[in-house]
Each structure stands twice: as structure tokens, then as C-alpha cells.
Amino acid sequence: MHQGLAPLFVMWAAMMVVMMAPAMAPSLLKLARGRGAFLAGFLAPWIAFSFAAAVLQMQLHASGLLDHHSGALTHPWLAAALLVAAGALQFTPLKRACRGVPAEGSLRCGLRTGALSLASCGVLMLVPFATGVMNLWAMALLTALLFVERVAPPEWPVSGLAGALLTGAGVWLAV
């Protein structure tokens, strides 16, 4: 299943918009104005990430490290490392900082929030390489996790629980 860069980029960009926009919906609704500018700024880093993910997917296919049918990594150790890395990032202060509510509805604030979101969730968005790029269940679970992380009270250990599950899945896969 060899695809060119453009279709892969469009697929990843659509996937990022569909997965990240719902997570930001509660914050967007709190903004008095500038929602469109904020959302455009927020999504810009994720669109750039989509291009990088499409290039990565092409390189993984070309090197034989990605299954041509499922889109999953062919080497369990690579998938395990990806899951452990995504799980470990769930415990970082960066992850907690990402939960903040935007101060204003501007393009600049959206870009800043999107960049912080990418830094804290970028590896998490690569988990589809471990599960299969078009695994809709994995994408739905990641989208739900991002949404719950945003709306849950700060004292709820949502990120920590997700981190433990991802890390545990990675260790289980490695063994």
C-alpha cells in the first residue's frame, strides 16, 4: 500500500484535526471572542506535525518497518518503545502544563497553546504506529483521553493512569 506524500499528509492532518479539536472544545467555549483565530493557531503546529508524521510513515514503509496493510510497526520492540515513551510523557510536568485554559482568543495564544500541546502530546499521537495507523479504536481512545484530560478535575489522575496503561502495554509487548 504505497502512497505518495500528499495523501498521507492529508490523512494525518485530518486525523489530527479530528482528534485534537474535540479536546480543545471546552476551552474554546470559554473564550469570549477570537475562537476561530485561536483554533487556527492551535491547529497550525499539529498540521506541521502531520507533515512530519506523513514523511515518517513513508520512511518506515520504505525501510520495511511498517506493515503495508495495517500501518503498524513490524518490529515489536519499536512498538513497545513507542508505547513506553508515550506513557512516560504522561507523567511529566509538561503534560500538566498543557491542561491550562487559554487566556485569550488570539492567533498568537492559539499558536502557543498548540505548540505546548504538541510538545506534551506529540509522542502520544504517534501511538497509531504501534497499533496500526488506521486503527479507529486506538484513535477514538486517544481522542477520548485528550478530552477527559482537559475536562477532568486536576486532582483526577487521568494522565497518570493513561501513562501507566501505555507503559504497561509497552512492557507487555516487549516481553
Side-chain angles (χ1 to χ4, degrees):
M1 176 177 125
H2 177 69
Q3 295 182 6
L5 182 58
L8 286 176
F9 168 66
V10 169
M11 178 199 72
W12 275 97
M15 191 165 59
M16 291 303 102
V17 169
V18 167
M19 292 174 76
M20 297 309 296
M24 284 309 297
S27 296
L28 284 170
L29 293 175
K30 292 178 183 176
L31 294 174
R33 63 182 187 276
R35 289 179 183 142
F38 177 85
L39 185 60
F42 175 79
L43 291 174
W46 285 106
I47 300 302
F49 170 87
S50 299
F51 181 78
V55 170
L56 177 62
Q57 185 173 350
M58 286 185 70
Q59 293 301 315
L60 290 170
H61 271 296
S63 65
L65 294 173
L66 207 61
D67 182 80
H68 289 284
H69 298 289
S70 70
L73 290 164
T74 56
H75 197 293
W77 284 88
L78 289 174
L82 178 57
L83 291 170
V84 168
L89 280 172
Q90 292 294 108
F91 295 103
T92 65
L94 185 59
K95 189 62 177 184
R96 289 186 294 282
C98 183
R99 291 182 54 147
V101 177
E104 59 186 77
S106 68
L107 181 65
R108 182 175 174 207
C109 186
L111 282 167
R112 186 177 36 235
T113 303
L116 181 59
S117 175
L118 178 59
S120 70
C121 298
V123 176
L124 190 63
M125 293 300 106
L126 295 177
V127 165
F129 283 126
T131 63
V133 172
M134 293 310 296
N135 183 325
L136 296 179
W137 285 108
M139 286 187 267
L141 285 171
L142 287 173
T143 304
L145 170 63
L146 294 170
F147 182 81
V148 171
E149 281 179 331
R150 251 261 170 231
V151 300
E155 64 273 8
W156 286 17
V158 176
S159 295
L161 180 59
L165 289 171
L166 286 162
T167 303
V171 169
W172 179 79
L173 188 58
V175 178

